[in-house]
Structure formats: C-alpha cells, structure tokens
Amino acid sequence: MKKFYRIIATLGCVVALIACNRPQMISNKELAEIFHDAMLVNAYIQHNRQVELDSMNIYEPILAKYGYTKEDMQYTLENFLRQKSAHLSDVITDVNDRLAREAAALRAAVVRVDTVRNVAQRRARRTIFELEKPIVAKSK
C-alpha cells in the first residue's frame, strides 16, 4: 500500500512540474496593463533619445512585474491569432482609452497648477506695486 502512495505522489509531482513549464495564458485585463506600461516606457525612451536599449530588455521587467515571461506573451498572442472570437483590437482599444483618460487628467492638473501660479504672480505684483518705495533687485 505504501508503494501505491509513493507512485501516486511521484506522479503528482511529475504532473505539477510539467504543468509549471507550460506557458500561461495572460488575461485580457492583465494584457492591457502590460501594453499600457510598455507604451509608457516606449514614450519615455522616444522622449529621451539617449537611452539605447533592446526591446526585450525593456519588456521583460514589465512582464516580470505581472508574473509572466516572454514565452507567456508569445503563447497569449498566438492564441489570439488562432481564436476567431478573440480580438486583440479590443485590448488595444482599452489601453488607448486608459491612456486618453490619463492624458486628460494630466492636462487638467497642468491647467490647475498654471492657474494657481498666475494668481500668485498677480497678487505678488500688486503687493509690490502698493509699497511706498520701489524694490530694486540687485545681484551679488
């Protein structure tokens, strides 16, 4: 009987090891998150042209952040190509919508900061002009 349990335990370990080596399918939500991060990294690199990196060196840490490998990404994209019901364009549309919302929020924040700065400058000028003696700035 002990021999039977050992065989079952050994088979279970072998099946677990085989299952672990198989690439994972990345969910649409996580795939959209990965694409989002990759697009932000690409934009940063294009803005700072001093950075010269191989693309997989850039994307592997992003994939690792979500617990995936490049093999998982390749497996997922191959499954998208095989399945007629799955549309990668839906994932890309989600990423595009998220980036557009983030850009709109950043533009609104810039407008708020500019407004506060402009109000502060007007008040400071008014205060300076109301003084009896003019203030002269001198450099040292």
Side-chain angles (χ1 to χ4, degrees):
M1 196 64 168
K2 287 182 182 182
K3 188 175 184 179
F4 176 74
Y5 288 123
R6 282 188 193 159
I7 292 172
I8 295 294
T10 305
L11 285 176
C13 290
V14 169
V15 169
L17 288 173
I18 291 172
C20 291
N21 289 335
R22 188 172 151 240
Q24 301 178 43
M25 182 71 174
I26 303 172
S27 70
N28 288 357
K29 183 180 177 183
E30 286 184 313
L31 190 60
E33 294 288 328
I34 291 169
F35 284 165
H36 172 266
D37 291 353
M39 287 181 175
L40 289 178
V41 167
N42 280 338
Y44 177 79
I45 288 173
Q46 286 178 358
H47 182 71
N48 298 324
R49 298 212 184 259
Q50 300 136 351
V51 180
E52 299 277 336
L53 294 173
D54 181 32
S55 62
M56 280 317 293
N57 290 337
I58 298 168
Y59 300 134
E60 282 184 13
I62 294 171
L63 291 170
K65 172 182 169 186
Y66 293 96
Y68 296 107
T69 63
K70 65 181 180 178
E71 288 81 17
D72 296 332
M73 178 63 89
Q74 290 170 345
Y75 179 75
T76 300
L77 294 176
E78 287 170 3
N79 276 344
F80 266 109
L81 294 174
R82 278 189 235 126
Q83 299 174 1
K84 294 188 181 202
S85 63
H87 297 286
L88 189 59
S89 62
D90 294 341
V91 175
I92 299 300
T93 301
D94 291 343
V95 172
N96 190 28
D97 292 344
R98 180 176 172 192
L99 289 170
R101 284 191 308 270
E102 289 175 357
L106 287 173
R107 279 192 297 274
V110 167
V111 167
R112 282 192 303 272
V113 168
D114 284 346
T115 302
V116 168
R117 187 189 61 188
N118 289 335
V119 168
Q121 284 178 346
R122 279 194 308 256
R123 286 189 182 172
R125 284 188 191 127
R126 196 176 306 134
T127 303
I128 290 172
F129 291 139
E130 288 175 358
L131 295 174
E132 291 179 20
K133 293 192 266 181
I135 298 175
V136 179
K138 295 181 182 177
S139 61
K140 292 184 179 185

